[in-house]
Amino acid sequence: MIRVLIVDDQALMRAGFRALLEAEDGIEVVGEAADGRRGVELVRRYTPDVALIDVQMPVMTGIEATREIAADPLLAAVHVVILTNYGLDEYVFDALRAGAAGFLLKDTEPAELLRAIEVAARGDALLSPAITRRLIGAFVSRPPDRATAPGLEALTRREREVTALAARGLTNEEIAAHMVISPFTAKTHISRAMIKLGARDRAQLVVFAYESGLVEAGRAPGAHGSAPSAAGRD
């Protein structure tokens, strides 16, 4: 059973999400809130698997709420999916840096929303396809800011490679096929990279990969060109 909390200042939107989710087997709506502060309080009370949080709300914004949730070690198992009416802008970057697991437009199809909840509950990164394409384009158009993304030297060659591939949007199975390893091994490398970088989920790995320059514009997956800091490490 996936436990979901809905945080949105529009009552009609909350009612719509609740009706959609409660009609699905395997999903339970544990509560709802109309502002970010109340949302954080309910997250602490119920510790849901997924918190659907509107980006703009009174009292406390969705990004502020996400940052507070991500900073609490007791809420490490809560995965935040940011909801918005807007396209790509600084909200996306701020939300991912704050610790959001994903970012969805409110006009997304019901099936995509349900899939998003399942993906987020597993701890995988989730972004609307259109947002993902534009997000990557925006990241690669910026010069890498290695000063804001420390930790690259802590990763082994394999961990750098899987991180770069994950940032390109590849699944564990696709990474495994690309690197000729098992999906379990790919998942293990991803998990170790997340631990070393202090990343809550794959979404934060994406941020790290682009801000550190691990993935660059015009490079194909696996051709990011980063050499390991210690020769021969694997």
Side-chain angles (χ1 to χ4, degrees):
M1 182 68 69
I2 300 175
R3 303 170 70 252
V4 179
L5 179 74
I6 303 169
V7 186
D8 195 299
D9 62 334
Q10 298 180 28
L12 186 59
M13 189 65 67
R14 294 197 307 273
F17 283 135
R18 177 181 282 274
L20 173 64
L21 298 179
E22 289 185 336
E24 289 294 311
D25 293 333
I27 296 179
E28 175 189 6
V29 177
V30 298
E32 58 182 70
D35 64 72
R37 172 54 63 194
R38 180 59 175 165
V40 172
E41 292 174 356
L42 293 184
V43 165
R44 289 198 170 105
R45 177 185 301 179
Y46 297 116
T47 56
D49 301 298
V50 177
L52 296 177
I53 300 181
D54 185 21
V55 71
Q56 287 191 317
M57 291 181 294
V59 184
M60 175 184 282
T61 69
I63 292 174
E64 291 170 338
T66 299
R67 187 174 293 114
E68 191 162 326
I69 292 169
D72 190 337
L74 297 178
L75 303 178
V78 178
H79 304 289
V80 175
V81 174
I82 292 289
L83 299 166
T84 183
N85 288 317
Y86 310 99
L88 179 69
D89 51 30
E90 284 301 318
Y91 288 133
V92 179
F93 301 107
D94 291 344
L96 292 178
R97 291 189 181 103
F103 201 98
L104 284 174
L105 298 177
K106 286 186 177 180
D107 63 357
T108 188
E109 293 295 323
E112 185 177 350
L113 174 63
L114 295 173
R115 186 183 71 84
I117 290 174
E118 294 175 355
V119 169
R122 293 198 304 265
D124 293 335
L126 188 284
L127 294 169
S128 295
I131 289 181
T132 300
R133 290 191 295 270
R134 295 168 64 187
L135 176 65
I136 291 176
F139 261 126
V140 300
S141 69
R142 301 179 175 187
D145 186 2
R146 293 174 175 81
T148 65
L152 184 61
E153 69 283 352
L155 301 184
T156 67
R157 177 176 59 82
R158 285 293 202 183
E159 289 163 357
R160 293 188 190 195
E161 188 171 358
V162 297
T163 297
L165 292 172
R168 292 293 191 187
L170 274 65
T171 64
N172 288 344
E173 290 72 20
E174 291 169 336
I175 291 173
H178 182 87
M179 297 177 64
V180 195
I181 57 178
S182 71
F184 177 80
T185 299
K187 182 178 180 180
T188 298
H189 285 312
I190 288 288
S191 298
R192 288 175 177 169
M194 287 171 55
I195 291 171
K196 290 181 179 181
L197 299 173
R200 284 170 59 91
D201 48 41
R202 292 170 79 108
Q204 290 196 317
L205 278 187
V206 173
V207 174
F208 171 84
Y210 284 101
E211 289 192 329
S212 67
L214 186 61
V215 175
E216 300 174 0
R219 299 286 186 118
H224 45 79
S226 296
S229 59
R233 286 204 303 161
D234 192 30

